[in-house]
Amino acid sequence: MSDEDDLDEFEPDQEELEKEDDEKETEEWEDHRKEGEEFAEEWMPSPLTEDMMKEGLSLLCKTGNGLAHAYVKLEVKDRELTDISLLRSYIHLRYVDISENHLTDLSPLNCLTHLLWLKADGNLLRSARLNQLPYLQIASFAYNQIVDTEGISHPRLGSLDLKGNRIHMVTSLDPQKLSNLHTLELRGNQLESTLGINLPKLKNLFLAQNMLKRVEGLENLSNLTTLHLRDNQIETLNGFSKEMKSLQYLNLRGNMVSDLAELAKLRDLPKLRALVLLDNPCADESEYRQEALVQMSQLERLDKDFYEEEERAEADEIRQRLKEEQEQEHEAEQEHDLELDQSLI
């Protein structure tokens, strides 16, 4: 798996954009949370063994100066592991999958300084904290019990998955240390704010199924192309700016936007092509589709339907009429001011 493969599903012009909206996936992380609540019991110690290593190792590669060889890929999923201390001896590992176990401690991974790819989903982790791993590019900690974003500072990290955890606030994601992070997945947490996500190279941001009431602190994400905010509690469309000049896809389905006038706040997004507002009160208004296109002439798709040429022509006419009315109002105001000035002479 490469970071290019990982990004394929996030391309803004593909139907895969709605993948995160599937009810099945929503149920999946709810199931994980229920399981996490039942994990109060103590698990019997179950350490990683040499026999498990032999069974899970693969991908023989050259190491060091090229004269030696070692297996660099390990998969030990769903083994009820509680301890991976043995990994401290396998310093050449580059790809590690330790998902679906009962792990609470990832510190043995600090010895794997050649690690490129890590998947630790479905464990009992309270933190994703690790020492800085210089080559780590893809890391997934989905469906754990992680409560913060502290201790994540891998300089080549491109994709970080923290969905289905218990994070309330994003903190300590240092843009200097995470200068290559392009995809951040935070769906299904307990986020109450979008502050703390000031990552200059970020292209894909997934914040669905949280507790967000507004968008804030994202104004300077000039490389962001995809933003998912489905199933939050957002009422207004403040927080978007012309600095978000790359944003092409915005999903606000299942929020609380009721006033069509809020759509005017998205006019400063020059590359916005697809907007999803289904299951918001404003989507029930009769002029909903038309108003969106009047406010955003560059829009190609609203919800799941592309705009037809007839709709585009009608929106152009309305836009032109509004422009003329505004000009007439401005001229009338100027004449009124002039008359007022003359009466005071």
Side-chain angles (χ1 to χ4, degrees):
M1 182 177 182
S2 67
D3 46 356
E4 287 82 6
D5 294 334
D6 192 54
L7 272 176
D8 283 345
E9 65 187 76
F10 303 137
E11 287 299 322
D13 59 348
Q14 299 182 20
E15 293 181 3
E16 292 284 328
L17 284 164
E18 266 61 77
K19 192 182 86 166
E20 85 286 2
D21 297 338
D22 293 341
E23 292 181 4
K24 180 179 179 182
E25 189 160 304
T26 302
E27 292 172 359
E28 182 180 341
W29 69 55
E30 286 177 352
D31 289 343
H32 275 278
R33 279 183 177 163
K34 289 177 182 177
E35 290 173 10
E37 291 169 359
E38 296 168 1
F39 285 158
E41 61 181 290
E42 288 292 327
W43 291 97
M44 290 294 291
S46 179
L48 181 62
T49 65
E50 291 286 0
D51 287 340
M52 291 180 188
M53 291 296 297
K54 289 177 182 178
E55 186 179 340
L57 285 169
S58 63
L59 194 59
L60 189 63
C61 292
K62 292 180 179 180
T63 63
N65 58 11
L67 300 177
H69 291 75
Y71 288 106
V72 299
K73 183 176 181 180
L74 174 67
E75 181 180 313
V76 282
K77 293 173 58 178
D78 198 13
R79 299 297 188 93
E80 299 188 355
L81 295 174
T82 60
D83 185 348
I84 54 172
S85 297
L86 186 59
L87 290 186
R88 290 190 173 95
S89 302
Y90 289 81
I91 60 173
H92 297 296
L93 285 173
R94 300 175 192 170
Y95 309 90
V96 172
D97 188 347
I98 47 176
S99 301
E100 310 303 329
N101 286 293
H102 307 318
L103 300 172
T104 59
D105 178 22
L106 295 182
S107 61
L109 298 177
N110 290 328
C111 298
L112 308 186
T113 54
H114 297 281
L115 197 63
L116 301 173
W117 183 91
L118 172 63
K119 191 173 178 67
D121 300 347
N123 281 284
L124 303 177
L125 302 172
R126 299 277 295 175
S127 173
R129 181 184 294 275
L130 286 167
N131 292 347
Q132 188 176 107
L133 296 172
Y135 302 109
L136 186 63
Q137 297 176 32
I138 297 175
S140 183
F141 306 95
Y143 310 124
N144 279 278
Q145 300 176 34
I146 294 170
V147 296
D148 59 45
T149 55
E150 301 285 328
I152 302 172
S153 59
H154 316 294
R156 298 192 184 185
L157 190 64
S159 177
L160 175 62
D161 190 342
L162 290 163
K163 69 171 169 279
N165 280 285
R166 300 177 179 181
I167 300 168
H168 286 271
M169 177 71 72
V170 176
T171 56
S172 299
L173 292 186
D174 189 334
Q176 300 299 320
K177 295 178 180 178
L178 293 169
S179 60
N180 289 299
L181 193 66
H182 55 67
T183 299
L184 178 58
E185 169 65 90
L186 285 163
R187 276 179 288 166
N189 278 277
Q190 299 168 18
L191 290 175
E192 299 176 358
S193 173
T194 55
L195 292 171
I197 310 178
N198 183 26
L199 299 161
K201 297 291 183 67
L202 205 62
K203 293 183 178 180
N204 307 289
L205 179 57
F206 299 88
L207 297 170
Q209 277 100 1
N210 278 284
M211 301 164 63
L212 302 172
K213 295 184 178 179
R214 66 184 66 84
V215 176
E216 54 188 339
L218 305 182
E219 297 89 348
N220 296 318
L221 297 185
S222 59
N223 288 302
L224 194 67
T225 62
T226 303
L227 177 57
H228 293 256
L229 291 161
R230 180 180 176 169
D231 294 337
N232 281 285
Q233 303 166 29
I234 297 170
E235 297 182 5
T236 71
L237 298 181
N238 297 326
F240 295 92
S241 78
K242 61 183 178 181
E243 298 303 318
M244 302 171 79
K245 57 186 179 182
S246 301
L247 189 61
Q248 299 178 36
Y249 179 89
L250 175 60
N251 191 328
L252 284 157
R253 182 174 183 170
N255 278 279
M256 300 169 66
V257 180
S258 59
D259 189 351
L260 282 178
E262 291 294 314
L263 297 176
K265 297 174 182 177
L266 302 179
R267 281 185 296 191
D268 288 335
L269 302 174
K271 289 191 177 180
L272 188 64
R273 297 293 180 265
L275 174 64
V276 183
L277 274 167
L278 284 169
D279 302 327
N280 279 267
C282 68
D284 296 328
E285 298 290 329
S286 58
E287 304 300 319
Y288 165 56
R289 280 185 62 80
Q290 185 183 80
E291 182 65 21
L293 191 56
V294 168
Q295 296 295 345
M296 295 163 279
S297 60
Q298 78 280 14
L299 204 61
E300 296 176 0
R301 176 161 70 93
L302 180 64
D303 300 329
K304 296 185 178 181
D305 296 318
F306 284 86
Y307 279 104
E308 302 292 339
E309 284 303 317
E310 294 81 1
E311 293 178 292
R312 202 168 291 283
E314 184 177 356
D316 287 342
E317 291 178 6
I318 295 172
R319 204 178 298 111
Q320 181 62 33
R321 185 169 69 248
L322 289 173
K323 181 181 178 181
E324 292 172 355
E325 290 174 357
Q326 288 174 351
E327 290 175 350
Q328 290 173 0
E329 289 178 4
H330 182 62
E331 290 175 0
E333 288 176 1
Q334 286 183 321
E335 289 178 3
H336 178 267
D337 291 343
L338 183 59
E339 291 174 359
L340 186 60
D341 289 343
Q342 290 175 342
S343 66
L344 294 174
I345 297 174

